[in-house]
Amino acid sequence: MAQLHVAQAAPMAIPEAAVAMPLSFEPGPQRDDFFGELDRHLGGIERALESSPLHLPPAYLSPAGEQLTDLTQVAWYLRGQFSAPGAAPARHAARQVLLAALSRRGLRADVTGTLRYAARGGARPEREVAVAKRLAALAARVEAADPNERLSDELTSLREAFFGDAAPEAARDIAGRHLDALFDGTPPLAEGAPVYQKPGAMRDEFGRTSGWEDVLPKPAGAPRSFAEASLETPKGAAFTLSPDSWLDEVFYYVMIDRFGRHVLRDASGRVLPTTWGDPYDARTRHGGNLQGLIDQLDYLRGIATTIVVSPIVMNPPGAYHGYSSIHRLAVEPAFGTMADLQALRRELSQRGMRLIVDRVFNHTGPILEYVGGHEFGMPKDIQRVVYPLEPVDYVRDIAAIREHFSRRGDISNWDSTVQKQNGDLPGGVNRLRTENPATQELLLLEQMWWMLQTDEDGVRLDAYPHVARGFWDRLYEAGHAFAARLGKKNYLFLGELFQGDPMHYIPELIAGRLGAAYNYVSYYWNAAALHGRAPTRVLEESHRRLYDVLGGATHHLVNFLGNHDRLHWLEPGEPEGVLHFALAYIFTSIGIPYLYGEEQAPRRVPGRKWLDIEAAREDRFYEGKFTNPAFARHSFDTQSPGYRLVAKLTALRKEYAPLRRGDQYVRWSDPHGPGIFAFSRIHRGEEVLVVLNSSSERRGARMWVDAGITPPGTTLVDAMDGATAVTARPVDGGSQVGVEVPPYGVRVFVRPMRP
């Protein structure tokens, strides 16, 4: 009879079928109501077990596996719950649960494992004993019976109940160690042992037995140290010239792992594996690659001029997104090679397109494990180095680690300036000491080396507010000087500023730190009006307030509806016209338009909110399993209404300079609700009048135009349809036009071209 040893409580015997060896749970800092909630859901599971003879329907074991959905979703969720640093054993256990279901070895392991996962951590020892005993008894009963759909429903409910802060990292680690023992018969980690352990082998979607935790070989030729990273310009090398103005561009963000997947085949035609993740799980790799992006450049050329790619440096296998570097001078092997990246640059240049690369100066991946955990505090001692970070200059010895890493632990208070400027972003990354001159030198070398390798036109600066301002000053100066050496006189620094207060943008845009910045101010201020839930007068006031603070720098704000860190713009049940109105607004108003798949009208998917930012990082490629209904129809449909609208607006921006560079003057807004919003864009004596309708009904209004540029008698033609025309009339010494716009429509009035 095995024993369950509980801290501060007497040992309690439990059925041997449930536990294979002695376990020791330490009480964790859980919410007081955690076990009360758990009791309630366990009661539902007990009732399901007692309600009727349990029967396993044959369909549960069908090759297609449709009726495995609920249980496998539970397993995927559990893996997500245990994705924090230090939870590798728990992740492995969850994968074993999923493997048991997907390989159709039966669902007992899935259900039993789910019950045991629910026992992670503890608020009070006496309640932990009771719940552990109850779980053990339930697990033994499940071992002797087959689960039915009612039990599956209860497990799904259990999943939803315990998402959030009910299980902190420490409790997950403890649970993970013992779950590993339950599943694999391996001993739990000893107290004080390193928490990062490489799990055993498992099978991926292609049946291979290499685990997700396996680190791919470092690319041949990638510099292991900065001494190997030459900044000499090759003789005869030609670099792409910068655009005259970034105001002329349209940006499109691509997350490489999710956008395009070029299928590789061997000589016999057999598909070769291109991913090491779970294709259904939003939090693992799905196999997108650089060649897959190249394959879709003609699609992108119709709606954008500049591609912003997610970070391309090598990451640990669990990081699909690129923001957790373990080799900062190597292309991620799962994405391709340096040759593939350089091929992307050539293909873009041949199409007259530009390349911006997302780069992370704030942090590395999960390189360091701290003594005493990740709670924010004073600089911590290092328990061990998890991954062999390269270039090795950052981690050559313990002195180098202390020199280059903050080691303060995770940010827990987002209102604390000290934590935001010194702490690790939650999720396992380690902050670099960007305030330290020696660390700055290494980061500057990184930037210049990549500029030389990629011939990039600009860089997206991730986690901008977390990096020391002193480093940004040095980066701008050194970066622009090096770019000029390559013939790039307008190299772009695009900052990820995510503040809703325009005052934060003053030192960055007006003082010349950044060439462009994400317009989170308008994203927050304009949301209700762009969804048609507030008067269009909100858009007028938003523009006025923003321009009052930033003046001409407003031109350099990047206008977006969605990005890889936000939920999709279009909500369930909203007419697609709402999105079309909002797209027309960001393409015609002051600033630089930015797309993240909105041309195909993706919607927020009910039930995915718990995934947080991963919810909007769906697969675009045909073979993808984690998809959006809009992408499932056709991810790259050039005939969809949204694509055709954006393509038309992109063409008009190219044809009419006022839409790119003109100042903006509001001509009409509705103070009472959805309806007309009109403004003129004026540049060098040319006026373009934009009239939008946020309402589901046809609306019209009379509005002023510039009498000096568009005097009475001037005829304007809607460039969107090429047919609708209006003529300016004299009113009180000025010039007015009357315009009607269909529901969610846009009209772009210009002077007709002279014959």
Side-chain angles (χ1 to χ4, degrees):
M1 188 73 69
Q3 299 291 317
L4 175 64
H5 299 293
V6 181
Q8 304 176 15
M12 179 172 294
I14 60 175
E16 197 159 341
V19 180
M21 59 183 302
L23 304 178
S24 175
F25 284 85
E26 297 292 338
Q30 310 299 95
R31 296 186 312 199
D32 288 341
D33 62 347
F34 176 75
F35 279 99
E37 288 293 301
L38 180 57
D39 277 339
R40 182 170 63 84
H41 286 277
L42 288 176
I45 294 174
E46 285 182 322
R47 288 191 296 274
L49 286 168
E50 296 169 353
S51 60
S52 61
L54 297 178
H55 175 65
L56 184 65
Y60 259 112
L61 303 180
S62 68
E66 291 88 354
Q67 294 194 40
L68 293 179
T69 301
D70 284 346
L71 290 172
T72 52
Q73 283 179 345
V74 171
W76 295 328
Y77 161 76
L78 290 172
R79 183 177 329 127
Q81 276 293 80
F82 298 110
S83 63
R91 288 199 297 274
H92 176 49
R95 286 198 296 271
Q96 298 291 56
V97 172
L98 180 59
L99 184 62
L102 293 182
S103 63
R104 297 184 295 280
R105 293 203 299 252
L107 300 178
R108 291 178 191 158
D110 193 3
V111 178
T112 306
T114 301
L115 292 172
R116 287 175 178 144
Y117 269 107
R120 56 190 183 272
R124 295 192 295 270
E126 65 275 12
R127 299 197 65 180
E128 183 178 335
V129 172
V131 171
K133 180 180 179 181
R134 190 173 182 184
L135 280 172
L138 278 173
R141 294 176 60 189
V142 172
E143 291 285 357
D146 293 321
N148 61 7
E149 287 193 46
R150 291 187 60 184
L151 179 56
S152 174
D153 291 341
E154 289 293 339
L155 294 172
T156 301
S157 178
L158 186 65
R159 173 198 68 190
E160 295 169 352
F162 297 110
F163 176 76
D165 60 356
E169 178 185 329
R172 290 198 297 266
D173 286 344
I174 294 168
R177 297 173 190 178
H178 304 301
L179 286 167
D180 233 18
L182 292 174
F183 278 108
D184 298 336
T186 56
L189 300 179
E191 291 301 322
V195 295
Y196 283 89
Q197 296 291 316
K198 181 178 176 181
M202 60 159 297
R203 295 185 181 276
D204 65 11
E205 61 174 314
F206 289 90
R208 299 176 307 175
T209 57
S210 58
W212 277 316
E213 305 295 332
D214 289 342
V215 178
L216 297 178
K218 303 290 177 64
R224 298 194 64 249
S225 70
F226 285 107
E228 300 175 9
S230 172
L231 297 182
E232 292 297 320
T233 306
K235 288 186 178 181
F239 294 89
T240 307
L241 300 180
S242 301
D244 292 335
S245 173
W246 285 98
L247 305 185
D248 298 338
E249 303 300 307
V250 176
F251 294 167
Y252 197 110
Y253 183 89
V254 168
M255 180 157 281
I256 298 172
D257 182 68
R258 303 296 164 87
F259 187 77
R261 179 173 176 177
H262 184 80
V263 178
L264 305 175
R265 300 178 184 273
D266 63 16
S268 66
R270 184 176 65 90
V271 175
L272 296 174
T274 57
T275 183
W276 288 261
D278 182 335
Y280 293 90
D281 188 340
R283 303 184 182 206
T284 68
R285 290 188 179 181
H286 292 178
N289 48 38
L290 288 166
Q291 186 58 52
L293 168 56
I294 293 172
D295 293 343
Q296 299 301 336
L297 288 184
D298 287 336
Y299 168 88
L300 293 171
R301 178 171 60 172
I303 53 176
T305 63
T306 295
I307 306 305
V308 184
V309 297
S310 57
I312 44 80
V313 297
M314 188 172 182
N315 276 222
Y320 65 89
H321 41 64
Y323 293 95
S324 296
S325 60
I326 60 172
H327 195 322
R328 299 175 68 85
L329 297 182
V331 173
E332 167 56 55
F335 296 161
T337 64
M338 182 67 79
D340 293 326
L341 182 58
Q342 293 167 345
L344 171 64
R345 167 75 267 185
R346 291 194 300 273
E347 293 290 338
L348 286 168
S349 296
Q350 291 173 10
R351 292 166 173 81
M353 301 175 74
R354 313 250 171 221
L355 174 65
I356 295 176
V357 178
D358 199 344
R359 193 155 292 133
V360 184
F361 295 100
N362 180 69
H363 56 263
T364 68
I367 301 300
L368 305 177
E369 184 64 31
Y370 305 135
V371 173
H374 288 263
E375 184 177 356
F376 186 85
M378 298 303 293
K380 302 174 184 295
D381 290 330
I382 305 304
Q383 182 164 309
R384 73 174 185 128
V385 176
V386 182
Y387 288 106
L389 178 67
E390 294 183 6
V392 297
D393 307 68
Y394 291 104
V395 292
R396 195 177 297 277
D397 51 35
I398 193 65
I401 292 174
R402 289 172 176 167
E403 173 81 15
H404 298 302
F405 287 89
S406 300
R407 300 174 290 112
R408 300 287 298 274
D410 290 351
I411 300 171
S412 58
N413 179 5
W414 292 94
D415 294 325
S416 167
T417 301
V418 172
Q419 289 200 26
K420 288 190 292 186
Q421 293 181 351
N422 295 277
D424 297 339
L425 296 178
V429 301
N430 300 124
R431 182 185 182 273
L432 290 164
R433 290 185 63 211
T434 55
E435 67 279 7
N436 177 37
T439 308
Q440 293 174 3
E441 289 291 336
L442 301 183
L443 295 174
L444 292 176
L445 290 173
E446 282 186 22
Q447 169 66 15
M448 292 184 284
W449 187 84
W450 278 112
M451 292 171 70
L452 194 62
Q453 303 303 313
T454 65
D455 187 23
E456 64 199 40
D457 300 292
V459 60
R460 178 188 181 273
L461 305 176
D462 182 69
Y464 191 90
H466 298 282
V467 175
R469 285 191 172 185
F471 170 70
W472 291 139
D473 290 335
R474 293 190 65 186
L475 179 68
Y476 303 146
E477 181 179 359
H480 281 305
F482 193 78
R485 184 178 123 186
L486 304 181
K488 298 175 183 290
K489 298 181 180 180
N490 195 17
Y491 184 87
L492 182 69
F493 290 101
L494 168 62
E496 187 200 18
L497 272 71
F498 34 79
Q499 286 91 350
D501 183 350
M503 299 299 292
H504 288 284
Y505 290 71
I506 292 177
E508 314 306 332
L509 287 174
I510 294 180
R513 289 176 181 268
L514 294 173
Y518 285 79
N519 187 3
Y520 271 92
V521 178
S522 295
Y523 175 81
Y524 294 129
W525 287 359
N526 294 344
L530 291 181
H531 277 286
R533 295 195 288 262
T536 58
R537 180 63 53 84
V538 170
L539 301 177
E540 177 180 359
E541 294 172 350
S542 169
H543 169 70
R544 175 182 54 77
R545 291 167 59 196
L546 192 57
Y547 202 87
D548 285 347
V549 174
L550 296 179
T554 308
H555 284 276
H556 297 272
L557 292 174
V558 176
N559 297 323
F560 63 94
L561 298 178
N563 61 45
H564 66 289
D565 288 333
R566 298 287 158 181
L567 297 175
H568 287 305
W569 177 262
L570 197 58
E571 297 176 358
E574 276 190 310
E576 193 169 324
V578 171
L579 175 64
H580 293 173
F581 164 78
L583 282 169
Y585 175 78
I586 68 167
F587 267 78
T588 56
S589 61
I590 190 169
I592 304 169
Y594 179 103
L595 291 168
Y596 179 62
E598 289 81 16
E599 77 282 358
Q600 297 299 341
R603 296 178 184 272
R604 300 179 186 182
V605 178
R608 283 188 182 172
K609 189 174 181 180
W610 65 274
L611 285 170
D612 196 31
I613 58 178
E614 269 87 6
R617 297 178 178 180
E618 298 105 338
D619 301 332
R620 296 287 298 272
F621 44 85
Y622 177 75
E623 305 87 354
K625 305 301 182 185
F626 179 70
T627 61
N628 189 280
F631 299 149
R633 293 196 307 268
H634 193 318
S635 294
F636 305 108
D637 184 3
T638 59
Q639 297 304 310
S640 70
Y643 186 95
R644 287 188 283 112
L645 171 67
V646 171
K648 181 66 175 179
L649 292 168
T650 300
L652 292 181
R653 280 179 55 85
K654 182 177 181 180
E655 185 174 358
Y656 297 101
L659 290 176
R660 308 189 307 270
R661 305 191 187 189
D663 289 329
Q664 183 166 315
Y665 303 89
V666 176
R667 303 303 191 190
W668 179 270
S669 64
D670 193 320
H672 304 297
I676 296 295
F677 183 62
F679 52 89
S680 290
R681 300 290 304 278
I682 297 177
H683 179 68
R684 294 184 178 178
E686 183 180 3
E687 180 176 18
V688 173
L689 176 66
V690 178
V691 188
L692 302 134
N693 180 10
S694 67
S695 170
S696 60
E697 302 173 350
R698 189 177 186 87
R699 295 290 178 87
R702 296 197 62 82
M703 62 202 68
W704 299 102
V705 289
D706 191 301
I709 301 174
T710 310
T714 302
T715 297
L716 302 176
V717 176
D718 180 11
M720 292 295 294
D721 64 18
T724 303
V726 295
T727 300
R729 297 183 179 183
V731 177
D732 296 334
S735 189
Q736 275 192 357
V737 296
V739 179
E740 288 194 351
V741 186
Y744 306 119
V746 55
R747 298 198 186 279
V748 180
F749 288 104
V750 299
R751 285 198 179 193
M753 299 295 292
R754 295 179 180 177

